[in-house]
Amino acid sequence: MTHTTTDEGTALLLEPSALPARTRLLKTLLRSRELSVAIVLLIVVAAAAIKSPDFVVSSDGWRDLLLTPTILLLLAAGQTVVIITRNVDLSVGSILGLSAWLTGELFMAHPGLPPVLAFVIGSAAGAGLGLINGVVVAYGKVPALVITLGTQYIFRGIVLTWAGSSLISASQMPDRFLKLGTAQIFTIPVLFIIAMVIVVAVGYYLQTARSGRELYAVGSDPEAAVLYGLPVNRRVVGAFILSGALAGLAGVVFAARYGTVNSSAGTGIEFQAVAAAVVGGVAIFGGSGTAWGAAIGAGLLMTINSALPMVGISDFWQQALVGALIIAAIVLDRVLAARQARKLIEARDES
């Protein structure tokens, strides 16, 4: 047993190094933006469940609670990677729409196509479109906001030209694919499981892989990252490729989830993806944030949309609340950044 002292000066008898590890873990959890957002999410769910118990208790309510944010979970994870590099991808909604229509066309042309192959093709198509964004942003040195706003319209124009006023219905897609939209494992929707596996994989990559950590360095200070010898352009291109691939995957999930696809699929969802990431703790100025935080933010936004009407809150206040959450998240980021900067200056002066 070793005699150690906490920051507050309280003497305790603990196993060697046990206190510091547990204290750091506790402090990390208590200061975590993700935990705060998760608590807000639980409060919203609880309020809706009190007002309407079927919101969670019934099988349909539980299924919808998990299934509704599935598409946004994928988009928010991809958006997180891009925002961490101090960029943004506004084309993901159009990539989703193009991938969803491509999925429908593939099944109409090849009814026996395995669903797994559809997921691969949709993701690959999205990755290709993301590559276009990344190359122009990284090597053309054009702001991502401008480029992806332009490609948003270009990709949507392709969908409109390709699809026109046509509609791909459920009867034109195989049952084994559409069953993914309703399939469950122990009451948990399969599509939700797929989305969460992707979110965890992206989060693990960002936290543990060297290239993932370099994305944070690029977003924190791009010029310093260049001087340090990091492959900044490659990392930015890679971030856009991953975002595009997840948007393409989301398009396939969209087709399986709703069973019908038209040229307007995914319209406007890019802004929800950015909002989910920011609300979930991803700094809009780059350099910090996690994929699971963005996932919690996506869950919160989608739950607000479905839960607040049950407690009698009008559409106007629903939108106002989402806007307030976004503003609060950005302001909090700036406050925390300023506080950290002051601490660094004080530490430097003391040394």
Side-chain angles (χ1 to χ4, degrees):
M1 307 288 281
T2 302
H3 185 274
T4 60
T5 306
T6 64
D7 293 340
E8 293 76 20
T10 303
L12 297 172
L13 292 177
L14 294 170
E15 293 293 333
S17 75
L19 178 62
R22 293 176 182 175
T23 301
R24 285 196 300 270
L25 178 60
L26 180 61
K27 286 184 177 181
T28 299
L29 289 174
L30 292 177
R31 294 176 180 177
S32 170
R33 285 276 300 279
E34 292 86 351
L35 179 61
S36 302
V37 179
I39 291 174
V40 175
L41 173 58
L42 292 176
I43 292 174
V44 173
V45 172
I50 292 173
K51 186 70 174 180
S52 177
D54 288 342
F55 183 71
V56 176
V57 175
S58 69
S59 58
D60 288 340
W62 170 251
R63 173 179 167 276
D64 290 341
L65 180 65
L66 297 180
L67 196 55
T68 300
T70 297
I71 294 172
L72 191 58
L73 288 175
L74 295 170
L75 296 179
Q79 198 70 244
T80 296
V81 179
V82 172
I83 294 177
I84 284 175
T85 64
R86 200 177 287 192
N87 290 292
V88 67
D89 188 353
L90 297 181
S91 68
V92 292
S94 297
I95 294 176
L96 183 157
L98 201 157
S99 175
W101 187 263
L102 172 63
T103 300
E105 289 283 353
L106 283 173
F107 280 125
M108 286 195 299
H110 307 282
L113 185 74
V116 173
L117 187 55
F119 280 96
V120 172
I121 294 174
S123 299
L129 297 177
L131 174 63
I132 296 173
N133 286 332
V135 168
V136 178
V137 170
Y139 294 98
K141 305 303 179 184
V142 182
L145 180 66
V146 176
I147 290 301
T148 59
L149 184 61
T151 54
Q152 174 193 41
Y153 287 103
I154 293 173
F155 299 157
R156 181 62 63 181
I158 294 173
V159 179
L160 290 170
T161 302
W162 189 5
S165 58
S166 301
L167 173 71
I168 297 177
S169 64
S171 62
Q172 296 171 292
M173 290 186 278
D175 291 338
R176 64 183 180 282
F177 175 70
L178 296 176
K179 285 180 179 178
L180 291 173
T182 56
Q184 299 181 15
I185 298 178
F186 300 115
T187 74
I188 301 177
V190 170
L191 293 181
F192 177 78
I193 294 174
I194 293 174
M196 287 308 302
V197 168
I198 296 297
V199 168
V200 171
V202 172
Y204 184 78
Y205 161 75
L206 289 174
Q207 297 297 319
T208 60
R210 177 177 179 179
S211 56
R213 301 305 302 171
E214 288 177 351
L215 292 174
Y216 288 98
V218 170
S220 297
D221 193 333
E223 294 180 357
V226 172
L227 294 176
Y228 192 73
L230 297 183
V232 174
N233 288 341
R234 279 194 300 167
R235 294 292 172 257
V236 171
V237 172
F240 276 99
I241 290 175
L242 181 55
S243 177
L246 293 183
L249 178 62
V252 183
V253 171
F254 181 97
R257 167 77 172 88
Y258 296 106
T260 59
V261 182
N262 60 25
S263 59
S264 64
T267 301
I269 200 172
E270 58 275 349
F271 299 109
Q272 290 181 313
V274 174
V278 172
V279 170
V282 181
I284 194 65
F285 301 100
S288 67
T290 62
W292 28 79
I296 298 172
L300 176 60
L301 294 186
M302 298 307 292
T303 303
I304 285 176
N305 290 335
S306 58
L308 293 190
M310 294 184 179
V311 296
I313 298 179
S314 66
D315 290 342
F316 169 79
W317 289 111
Q318 293 174 41
Q319 299 300 319
L321 178 58
V322 172
L325 286 173
I326 296 172
I327 294 173
I330 295 175
V331 171
L332 180 59
D333 283 335
R334 301 314 298 163
V335 170
L336 293 176
R339 181 183 298 178
Q340 184 65 24
R342 286 197 302 269
K343 288 182 178 180
L344 291 175
I345 294 174
E346 292 172 359
R348 183 188 63 187
D349 293 341
E350 290 177 358
S351 61

